[in-house]
């Protein structure tokens, strides 16, 4: 197994938390180097690297950067550190151990994108991480690495750290931009996408913390080096944050090729208390789960979407969900938030808890999501707590099907997809729970 560590290389190393310590480890040398590079060359290296966005969708970063209009006068770079998807806890950890790596990644990216006024949007609850990051930004400003004449180059690069107020929806990039502008944090209709019309109406690139922290290594060692570390269309390493019923939960940086089973058994010490896997949420709670017989698939982006060992999701027996273009929904690597669920867990209660989250976090702007997530929560609750009615499993499937693809942003799918995924794999458990409720009420 490859031991290459890119974004977690300084985990456990207190030195990296001060600017002097970070520089003694070679920090900020790539930022200096980038100032003498042609910006098109930096973007080319990022394209070659096959770096895919680590915020959830896995969209190729170099391609996204290429969407900026060539004649744009004012461009912004925004780092998404809202990290609120249940099961995801990597960005806070990355910032805590290596705040200057994020700042350096943003400087190099901003130089490439010619972005002068840039922002980090950090989740409101992350107070400790906010303080670490603000201290690091102050240090970088004091040294002249941020400001109006960075590294004496005559170039400008500002980074403003902005705290959110605890709404999951503000992690969605256009809601985030609205929130940054002081508006209500609700998603915008797309198109236009932020790369064309984003913050304050200017072309804007929104990238996740981990995505941006990979940039210095790519520019230092070359895009091909990064691509070769990965597999297929996914360059680099994979950060996963594993929680739930394993012996060794944690944040791990691993090769893209590691399978879910190897990850659970070899890296995380297996399922706790000698139990077995019942289900695994592979990329934050918005992703359909996997069962024990689906775990021999690599945790890489494309494998999770297309490997036929992972069942297509259904919203009722025999009704598979079409993602468009004939592609079936299986699952996705998402944000790397892996939750392992053991075989003594009541799946209907897990599903209810997930639905409760999305119903609470729906911004209410569009009807299928606003009404549908609340309805999913209500029906899944009665099933989970012994009050299910005949037809409830079908009803849950049909509500989920009615939401998916019919909402302004992907929060709708974030509720619908796991609902379909759990129904596909645990239909009998839902039915048994409903049948038991019926028996109980008849008695
Ligand atoms: C409801 C919702 C919440 C999201 N939350 C986050 C988040 O907390 N952090 C994040 O990086 N991306 C989040 N995203 C994805 C962002 O919209 C965006 O795609 C991402 O920040 C782009 O960065 P990347 O290309 O580096 O992945 C969320 C998306 C949705 C629909
Ligand atoms: S899908 Fe939900 S969260 Fe997204 S805009 Fe519509 S109501 Fe708001």
């Amino acid at each position: 197994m490859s031991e290459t560590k890119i974004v977690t290389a300084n985990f456990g190393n207190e030195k990296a938390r001060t600017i002097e310590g970070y520089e003694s480890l070679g920090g900020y040398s790539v930022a200096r180097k980038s100032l003498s590079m042609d910006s098109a060359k930096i973007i080319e290296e990022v394209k070659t690297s096959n770096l895919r966005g680590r915020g959830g969708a896995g969209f190729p970063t170099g391609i996204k950067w290429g969407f900026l209009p060539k004649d744009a006068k004012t461009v912004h770079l925004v780092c998404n550190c809202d990290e609120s998807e249940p099961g995801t806890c990597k960005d806070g950890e990355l910032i805590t151990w290596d705040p200057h790596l994020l700042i350096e990644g943003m400087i190099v990216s901003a130089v490439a994108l010619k972005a002068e006024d840039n922002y980090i949007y950090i989740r409101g609850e992350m107070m400790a991480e906010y303080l670490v990051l603000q201290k690091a930004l102050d240090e970088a400003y004091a040294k002249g690495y941020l400001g109006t004449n960075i590294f004496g180059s005559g170039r400008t690069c500002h980074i403003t750290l902005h705290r959110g107020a605890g709404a999951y929806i503000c992690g969605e990039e256009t809601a985030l931009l609205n929130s940054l502008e002081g508006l209500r944090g609700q998603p915008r209709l797309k198109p236009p996408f932020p790369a064309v019309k984003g913050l304050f109406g200017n072309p804007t690139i929104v990238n996740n913390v981990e995505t941006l922290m990979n940039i210095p290594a790519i520019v230092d060692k070359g895009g091909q080096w990064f691509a070769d570390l990965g597999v297929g269309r996914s360059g680099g390493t994979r950060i996963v944050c594993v929680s739930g019923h394993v012996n060794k939960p944690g944040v791990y940086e691993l090769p893209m090729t590691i399978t879910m089973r190897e990850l659970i058994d070899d890296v995380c010490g297996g399922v706790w208390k000698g139990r077995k896997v019942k289900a695994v949420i592979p990329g934050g709670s918005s992703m359909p789960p996997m069962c024990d017989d689906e775990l021999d698939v690599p945790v890489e982006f494309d494998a999770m979407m297309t490997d036929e060992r992972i069942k297509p999701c259904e919203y009722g027996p025999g009704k598979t969900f079409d993602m468009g273009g004939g592609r079936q929904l299986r699952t996705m690597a998402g944000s790397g938030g892996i939750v392992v669920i053991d075989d003594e867990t009541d799946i209907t209660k897990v599903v209810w808890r997930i639905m409760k989250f999305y119903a609470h976090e729906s911004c209410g702007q569009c009807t299928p999501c606003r009404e549908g997530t609340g309805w999913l929560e209500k029906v899944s609750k009665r099933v989970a707590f012994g009050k299910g009615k005949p037809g409830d499993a079908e009803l849950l499937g049909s509500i989920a099907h009615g939401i998916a693809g019919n909402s302004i942003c992907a929060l709708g799918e974030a509720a619908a997809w796991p609902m379909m995924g759990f129904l596909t794999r645990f239909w009998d458990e839902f039915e048994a729970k409903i049948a038991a409720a019926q028996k109980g009420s008849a008695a």
Side-chain angles (χ1 to χ4, degrees):
M1 191 184 296
S2 161
E3 287 300 314
T4 306
K5 304 277 184 260
I6 302 172
V7 293
T8 64
N10 288 330
F11 271 32
N13 185 353
E14 291 288 338
K15 253 189 173 180
R17 300 169 88 166
T18 63
I19 199 159
E20 290 77 19
Y22 181 71
E23 289 199 276
S24 74
L25 297 165
Y28 287 112
S29 57
V30 188
R32 279 194 183 84
K33 171 177 159 182
S34 69
L35 287 160
S36 58
M37 283 174 78
D38 180 17
S39 56
K41 167 79 179 144
I42 300 178
I43 297 176
E44 214 34 61
E45 288 299 331
V46 175
K47 279 189 183 155
T48 306
S49 74
N50 286 339
L51 172 64
R52 294 173 73 164
R54 306 299 206 238
F59 193 82
T61 306
I63 293 182
K64 187 193 271 192
W65 288 12
F67 290 152
L68 285 176
K70 297 282 167 276
D71 55 352
K73 287 200 173 51
T74 306
V75 170
H76 303 290
L77 171 67
V78 176
C79 171
N80 190 342
C81 183
D82 197 53
E83 191 166 63
S84 313
E85 171 89 347
T88 314
C89 53
K90 64 187 176 69
D91 295 341
E93 201 66 8
L94 290 170
I95 285 169
T96 303
W97 285 111
D98 216 348
H100 287 285
L101 180 60
L102 175 61
I103 297 171
E104 184 167 17
M106 285 191 74
I107 294 173
V108 177
S109 307
V111 166
L113 303 170
K114 303 192 174 105
E116 296 195 340
D117 291 313
N118 310 299
Y119 299 83
I120 301 172
Y121 188 97
I122 189 166
R123 176 180 174 163
E125 292 94 330
M126 286 189 182
M127 195 55 189
E129 293 85 348
Y130 165 77
L131 293 172
V132 168
L133 205 44
Q134 188 58 61
K135 177 176 161 281
L137 286 167
D138 293 344
E139 288 176 329
Y141 268 103
K143 284 234 171 189
Y145 298 171
L146 288 172
T148 47
N149 180 24
I150 59 169
F151 300 94
S153 67
R155 306 267 291 259
T156 296
C157 179
H158 289 291
I159 300 179
T160 304
L161 182 58
H162 180 93
R163 289 181 67 211
Y168 167 69
I169 194 57
C170 287
E172 194 282 335
E173 57 187 3
T174 59
L176 184 157
L177 297 178
N178 272 346
S179 173
L180 257 184
E181 288 184 22
L183 304 172
R184 184 179 289 192
Q186 287 187 322
R188 300 175 182 172
L189 273 173
K190 292 184 262 189
F193 288 92
V196 174
K197 190 172 180 213
L199 191 63
F200 307 119
N202 298 316
T204 303
I205 294 296
V206 182
N207 274 136
N208 171 260
V209 169
E210 183 192 334
T211 310
L212 291 168
M213 283 173 111
N214 276 298
I215 300 294
I218 292 169
V219 174
D220 187 30
K221 300 198 168 91
Q224 196 56 52
W225 168 83
F226 192 86
D228 291 343
L229 270 184
V231 60
R233 300 188 310 156
S234 305
T237 54
R238 185 97 179 94
I239 300 277
V240 290
C241 23
V242 190
S243 62
H245 302 152
V246 285
N247 286 312
K248 289 195 283 174
V251 178
Y252 300 101
E253 181 164 13
L254 301 162
M256 284 280 177
T257 47
I258 191 168
T259 66
M260 188 63 86
R261 194 180 304 285
E262 288 165 340
L263 170 61
I264 294 170
D265 290 346
D266 305 342
V267 179
C268 299
V271 182
W272 73 352
K273 301 180 185 175
R275 293 181 192 164
K276 294 196 166 58
V277 167
K278 184 166 189 176
V280 178
I281 293 170
S285 60
S286 56
M287 298 304 154
M290 302 160 82
C291 276
D292 189 46
D293 59 359
E294 300 169 302
L295 301 182
D296 293 308
V297 175
V299 295
E300 183 268 330
F301 295 96
D302 288 331
M304 297 288 245
M305 283 196 283
T306 59
D307 196 303
E308 290 181 4
R309 285 171 291 183
I310 301 175
K311 293 180 201 71
C313 289
E314 299 179 341
Y315 55 96
K319 296 175 180 168
T320 57
F321 180 71
D322 182 2
M323 298 272 281
R327 195 161 62 89
Q328 289 172 312
L329 168 66
R330 293 178 195 275
T331 193
M332 283 170 80
S335 57
I338 295 174
V339 185
V340 178
I341 300 165
D342 76 18
D343 58 351
E344 294 201 11
T345 307
D346 180 342
I347 284 295
T348 64
K349 286 195 174 144
V350 173
V351 170
W352 164 67
R353 190 60 192 84
I354 294 174
M355 295 306 131
K356 186 174 182 218
F357 175 79
Y358 291 111
H360 184 260
E361 298 297 336
S362 167
C363 83
Q365 199 178 185
C366 42
T367 311
C369 171
R370 181 186 63 240
E371 301 300 322
T373 53
W375 200 2
L376 285 177
E377 200 248 313
K378 192 172 155 192
V379 177
S380 60
K381 185 176 182 182
R382 74 176 177 231
V383 173
F385 291 94
K387 297 202 165 51
K389 299 179 186 173
D392 273 354
E394 287 85 352
L395 180 58
L396 287 168
S398 87
I399 301 167
H401 188 246
I403 301 172
N406 297 317
S407 57
I408 293 175
C409 85
L411 189 143
E413 274 91 35
W417 289 357
M419 190 69 247
M420 292 182 203
F422 277 107
L423 284 174
T424 305
R425 290 158 182 84
F426 299 100
W427 188 269
D428 292 348
E429 195 167 325
F430 278 83
E431 290 288 44
K433 207 81 198 251
I434 294 163
Q438 289 305 303
K439 254 192 192 166
S441 61

